[in-house]
Amino acid sequence: MKKVDVIKINLNEVDINSLFCSPYLSNEERKSFEKYTHPEVKKERIASLYLKKKYIGEYYIDENGKPKSKDKYYNISHSHGLVVLVIDSVEVGVDVELIRKSDDGLKDFISSKEEREYINDDQTFFEVWTNKESLVKAYGIGLRDDIKNIPSLPLNGTRVYKSNFYMNKTILYNNYIITVSRQSIEDFEINLIGD
């Protein structure tokens, strides 16, 4: 079975200064972080750029705001101290979320009737959320559609979105949900590795 690498940086386990001072970041890029006043957001942004520069190299932003590379597909996500990067041979999206208390109003806002029946706790809510988010990131548009109409079930299986087929996988890592969506019907496993 195909393995899709998801590279992670747990900000609680890494010296952010070593990422900030790495040769992958330019002085201009280091200076760009001065605009971030919230320390956790700044750390996640540094780790995100570090991963992109180390594993992707040169990239550009397309007309939909999606970062792209000339020779590989990738996507990045971060949540509450965990930053993840997925690299693939097809369009791909990744989303990570820390499992935390979620609002019932938000559950109703994002979920179809079938999804509301599936959601029975905070973990299942974030499984649905990350499946929706990773799917639209793989498609390349972000959350522009009515979020209720973005399919999230089955969690580990094939879905159709905007006439494209996607295979999705969801894993639990510590107290985080990580979901990868690939524009393919080929089954795969998530290979979670540390930087």
Side-chain angles (χ1 to χ4, degrees), residues 4-10 50-51 54-56 75-77 82-87 94 178 190-195:
V4 174
D5 289 340
V6 175
I7 304 155
K8 66 175 174 60
I9 293 179
N10 186 330
Y50 167 83
L51 286 173
K54 180 176 180 181
Y55 292 97
I56 305 303
N75 196 242
I76 200 157
S77 183
L82 186 67
V83 181
V84 294
L85 168 74
V86 64
I87 302 170
V94 65
I178 301 171
I190 295 174
N191 184 34
L192 188 61
I193 55 178
D195 176 68

Side-chain angles (χ1 to χ4, degrees), residues 151-170:
S152 72
L153 301 175
L155 293 183
N156 296 303
T158 306
R159 279 183 257 148
V160 177
Y161 182 65
K162 305 249 185 216
S163 302
N164 294 313
F165 286 91
Y166 295 88
M167 178 63 73
N168 306 283
K169 291 291 178 175
T170 299

Side-chain angles (χ1 to χ4, degrees), residues 6-27:
V6 175
I7 304 155
K8 66 175 174 60
I9 293 179
N10 186 330
L11 294 174
N12 296 320
E13 299 171 356
V14 69
D15 174 17
I16 197 67
N17 288 326
S18 67
L19 302 183
F20 184 77
C21 295
S22 78
Y24 298 108
L25 304 185
S26 69
N27 287 334

Side-chain angles (χ1 to χ4, degrees), residues 127-195:
E127 288 171 350
V128 167
W129 179 267
T130 60
N131 270 266
K132 289 175 180 277
E133 181 82 19
S134 67
L135 184 63
V136 296
K137 289 171 80 175
Y139 184 73
I141 60 165
L143 288 175
R144 294 184 186 164
D145 282 348
D146 178 2
I147 196 165
K148 283 185 183 183
N149 296 326
I150 300 166
S152 72
L153 301 175
L155 293 183
N156 296 303
T158 306
R159 279 183 257 148
V160 177
Y161 182 65
K162 305 249 185 216
S163 302
N164 294 313
F165 286 91
Y166 295 88
M167 178 63 73
N168 306 283
K169 291 291 178 175
T170 299
I171 63 169
L172 178 64
Y173 165 73
N174 291 339
N175 203 33
Y176 294 89
I177 298 293
I178 301 171
T179 299
V180 172
S181 295
R182 305 178 70 238
Q183 190 175 351
S184 171
I185 58 170
E186 179 185 15
D187 201 4
F188 70 97
E189 292 177 359
I190 295 174
N191 184 34
L192 188 61
I193 55 178
D195 176 68

Side-chain angles (χ1 to χ4, degrees), residues 101-108 122 125:
K101 182 74 179 133
S102 56
D103 179 88
D104 287 337
L106 184 57
K107 290 176 191 174
D108 292 339
D122 293 322
F125 169 75

